[in-house]
Amino acid sequence: MSTKKLFFTSSVFRFIERIVLVFSSLLLTPYFINVLGADGYGFWLLILSIIGWFNVIELGFPSAVQRHTILALETKDPVKVNTVFSTGIVLFGTLGLVAALLLVVVGVFASELFGTMVDANALKLALLVLSAKILIDFLMNPFHGFITSFLRLDIDSNLVILNVIIKSALIFLLIPSMNIWGAIIATLSADIFTNLIKIFYIKKLYPPLRFSFKLSSKEEVKSLFAFSKHVVANGVAKTLNDKADPFIVTKLIGLSSVAVYGVANRLAEHIKAFVFTVNGFLSPVFMKKISKNESLDGLFHNAIMINLFFATLFSAPLIVLGKAFIILWVGVEFESAANILYFLIFTFFCQAIYTSVNQVLLAQAQHKYISLISLLGAITNISLSIVLGIKYGLIGVAVGTSIGSFIANVVLSLWLYSYYNKLNLWLIIRKLFWANFLVFGVGLWLALSLSSGITWLELIMYGALSFIVFLFLSWLLVLDKNLRNISGQYVLLVVQKLKPKKPTL
């Protein structure tokens, strides 16, 4: 299968994956709140946040293993490939055991960490069981490298869809009788089943794949560490940025406010995932271009414009209809989540730029300073979130997050990219301005003029109309002439293929 066809197929399936994830979230979130209550849902979000912190212990090795797998496959040497794979299994098995043990320790000291804000005994038992998930997730990292190396993200997307369907069905069946334990059992069962299927598919992609302790190599670990050591701080910063807010909200305000913040964050995360559906495929493309000594500058600027285009397209309708949707979705008591949503959306506009910078610098192995920038952004985020959260509550936490994101992901990351590569700064500033103008100018103006008391049918109609309007505006203002021509030609080609052929006489 050609690279272009793989790119298209993977992009389509990743979009389908996001649609399934969003649909399941739209169903499960109000179900969680109705069955478990706001405090119970906040407790579940806190558990997920704690588990997420342990990604830090991966120490940047997933990116290193992915890169080494791609380079090893290029050599056509099965011994080299299996050396990378076997070393990865031993390495991540060790790190996974450490992470699982530390998760158990966190559970033991839950009462000291959270006081009376949470049920310490319930949290301890939940983390003890979910330590198995941590170990499994770590061990799957060497397998993920093959999915990426073969550009078969469609396989990964199909398995994510299957995972979501199984987990959602089990949650609906188990939560009413088992409470939070229904969600834990559903999560573990779905992960184990789909990971076994993933291993089967990877073996089909690369039949010579095998694990051997003899092939695991100290030299390979040193080589992986030489690349990953600068990614560690980046991973720490990402975890701090993504997982700190639930802790801050829990300590400053309470579990019910975690649920409010979680509603806004869940919507923003879904939109962000849609935005980066295409971009996620570009990381191995950047690496392959580097292996052929090709320039990345043109692709880099195109990637940023594509990110901003999709960010505008998907987030503008949410800005317009966010408050009305939240009221219909989870109830009027969560209406304040709409105000938090605006700031969270701004953060991933900033991340639209940082993601492409990070991908290029990782591909070039020029990433040692980007981790420092990410850490600075994380420190700014947490500091401002605490200070502003004490004074302004949830809005203060969201404002602190957005300011930290802008400093690290836009200002400092573009400066760093320009240090190593050619940067068309004026193009990026202009496109970022137009994207924010459409979302926070036009979008908020339309939101203020629209009544929040609308029906589901009206919401769907307004959503479809706003999507079409912002599709045209973002295509016209955010993309440059070259990308507009390419996208226009592609649409015409698809339309022509869909036309029924005239019967021949």
Side-chain angles (χ1 to χ4, degrees):
M1 194 181 294
S2 67
T3 300
K4 288 185 177 180
K5 192 170 182 180
L6 282 171
F7 181 87
F8 176 76
T9 303
S10 296
S11 297
V12 168
F13 277 106
R14 281 170 69 86
F15 268 111
I16 295 173
E17 171 195 333
R18 295 319 311 174
I19 291 171
V20 172
L21 285 169
V22 170
F23 184 72
S24 68
S25 177
L26 295 182
L27 291 176
L28 288 177
T29 299
Y31 185 72
F32 264 108
I33 294 171
N34 289 333
V35 176
L36 303 179
D39 284 348
Y41 180 58
F43 184 65
W44 175 240
L45 293 179
L46 181 62
I47 290 173
L48 296 179
S49 180
I50 292 172
I51 293 173
W53 277 85
F54 287 87
N55 290 330
V56 171
I57 299 175
E58 290 177 346
L59 301 179
F61 284 114
S63 297
V65 169
Q66 176 181 306
R67 188 171 187 270
H68 278 221
T69 302
I70 291 173
L71 296 175
L73 287 168
E74 290 288 326
T75 67
K76 312 294 184 183
D77 182 359
V79 175
K80 178 62 177 174
V81 174
N82 285 320
T83 297
V84 175
F85 173 71
S86 299
T87 304
I89 290 292
V90 173
L91 176 63
F92 282 109
T94 303
L95 294 174
L97 287 172
V98 172
L101 178 62
L102 289 175
L103 184 64
V104 172
V105 172
V106 170
V108 171
F109 292 98
S111 58
E112 285 77 8
L113 290 171
F114 299 101
T116 59
M117 289 287 188
V118 300
D119 184 338
N121 289 327
L123 183 60
K124 178 171 66 177
L125 289 174
L127 296 182
L128 175 63
V129 174
L130 287 171
S131 63
K133 173 179 169 55
I134 289 287
L135 179 58
I136 292 169
D137 289 346
F138 271 72
L139 285 171
M140 288 304 297
N141 274 305
F143 294 97
H144 296 324
F146 284 87
I147 293 287
T148 305
S149 300
F150 283 98
L151 304 180
R152 291 304 306 270
L153 301 183
D154 55 314
I155 294 176
D156 199 48
S157 294
N158 285 327
L159 290 175
V160 170
I161 292 169
L162 179 62
N163 182 287
V164 170
I165 292 172
I166 294 172
K167 182 165 62 178
S168 300
L170 289 175
I171 284 174
F172 272 102
L173 289 172
L174 299 177
I175 276 187
S177 59
M178 301 183 68
N179 206 291
I180 202 74
W181 284 101
I184 293 171
I185 292 172
T187 301
L188 277 174
S189 300
D191 283 0
I192 292 170
F193 181 70
T194 53
N195 282 332
L196 288 173
I197 297 175
K198 179 177 286 188
I199 293 171
F200 168 78
Y201 271 110
I202 291 169
K203 184 64 177 176
K204 288 187 66 177
L205 281 175
Y206 191 73
L209 181 69
R210 68 185 183 90
F211 167 76
S212 171
F213 276 109
K214 294 180 180 179
L215 286 175
S216 59
S217 159
K218 290 182 180 179
E219 289 72 23
E220 181 65 23
V221 172
K222 291 178 181 178
S223 180
L224 289 169
F225 182 72
F227 179 85
S228 70
K229 62 184 178 183
H230 300 298
V231 185
V232 176
N234 200 24
V236 173
K238 185 179 185 304
T239 302
L240 288 173
N241 279 315
D242 293 345
K243 308 299 179 183
D245 286 349
F247 282 89
I248 294 171
V249 173
T250 300
K251 295 293 288 185
L252 295 182
I253 308 171
L255 278 177
S256 60
S257 293
V258 174
V260 174
Y261 195 92
V263 166
N265 189 60
R266 187 62 62 90
L267 289 175
E269 286 294 323
H270 284 316
I271 296 299
K272 184 171 74 173
F274 269 116
V275 171
F276 295 140
T277 295
V278 175
N279 184 271
F281 188 82
L282 291 175
S283 185
V285 175
F286 281 127
M287 290 184 182
K288 285 181 176 292
K289 278 185 169 289
I290 281 294
S291 68
K292 298 175 183 177
N293 294 319
E294 296 178 5
S295 173
L296 302 180
D297 293 329
L299 182 59
F300 167 74
H301 290 95
N302 285 343
I304 286 181
M305 283 187 284
I306 291 170
N307 285 348
L308 292 175
F309 167 76
F310 282 110
T312 305
L313 177 61
F314 288 111
S315 61
L318 185 59
I319 289 288
V320 176
L321 298 165
K323 182 177 290 188
F325 175 79
I326 289 171
I327 292 172
L328 286 171
W329 180 37
V330 290
V332 69
E333 62 270 24
F334 288 90
E335 181 180 355
S336 60
N339 298 324
I340 300 165
L341 181 64
Y342 304 144
F343 294 98
L344 297 182
I345 285 177
F346 177 75
T347 63
F348 76 74
F349 267 87
C350 301
Q351 290 168 5
I353 292 173
Y354 165 80
T355 300
S356 295
V357 172
N358 189 45
Q359 286 174 330
V360 170
L361 295 183
L362 279 173
Q364 295 174 328
Q366 299 286 3
H367 55 288
K368 58 183 178 180
Y369 294 120
I370 201 165
S371 57
L372 298 178
I373 288 174
S374 299
L375 276 175
L376 180 60
I379 293 169
T380 305
N381 168 12
I382 293 173
S383 301
L384 288 176
S385 293
I386 293 173
V387 172
L388 297 177
I390 292 172
K391 190 170 184 180
Y392 300 107
L394 286 177
I395 290 292
V397 175
V399 170
T401 299
S402 61
I403 293 175
S405 179
F406 178 75
I407 291 173
N409 296 334
V410 177
V411 178
L412 295 179
S413 66
L414 287 178
W415 171 80
L416 183 61
Y417 182 89
S418 67
Y419 182 78
Y420 293 106
N421 303 279
K422 293 180 180 179
L423 176 66
N424 190 341
L425 183 61
W426 171 239
L427 170 69
I428 294 173
I429 291 174
R430 190 170 74 250
K431 298 305 179 181
L432 182 61
F433 167 79
W434 281 118
N436 279 276
F437 170 76
L438 290 175
V439 173
F440 298 104
V442 178
L444 278 176
W445 175 71
L446 291 174
L448 293 173
S449 62
L450 180 70
S451 170
S452 59
I454 61 177
T455 65
W456 278 111
L457 180 60
E458 290 172 327
L459 182 79
I460 293 171
M461 291 173 57
Y462 288 140
L465 180 61
S466 63
F467 186 86
I468 293 170
V469 169
F470 285 105
L471 172 62
F472 173 74
L473 291 176
S474 57
W475 180 82
L476 184 65
L477 297 175
V478 178
L479 297 180
D480 65 5
K481 184 178 180 180
N482 181 52
L483 286 176
R484 289 199 300 270
N485 289 337
I486 293 173
S487 59
Q489 291 170 4
Y490 182 77
V491 171
L492 290 175
L493 181 63
V494 172
V495 170
Q496 288 175 359
K497 287 184 176 181
L498 292 176
K499 284 184 178 179
K501 295 181 179 180
K502 295 182 179 179
T504 55
L505 298 176

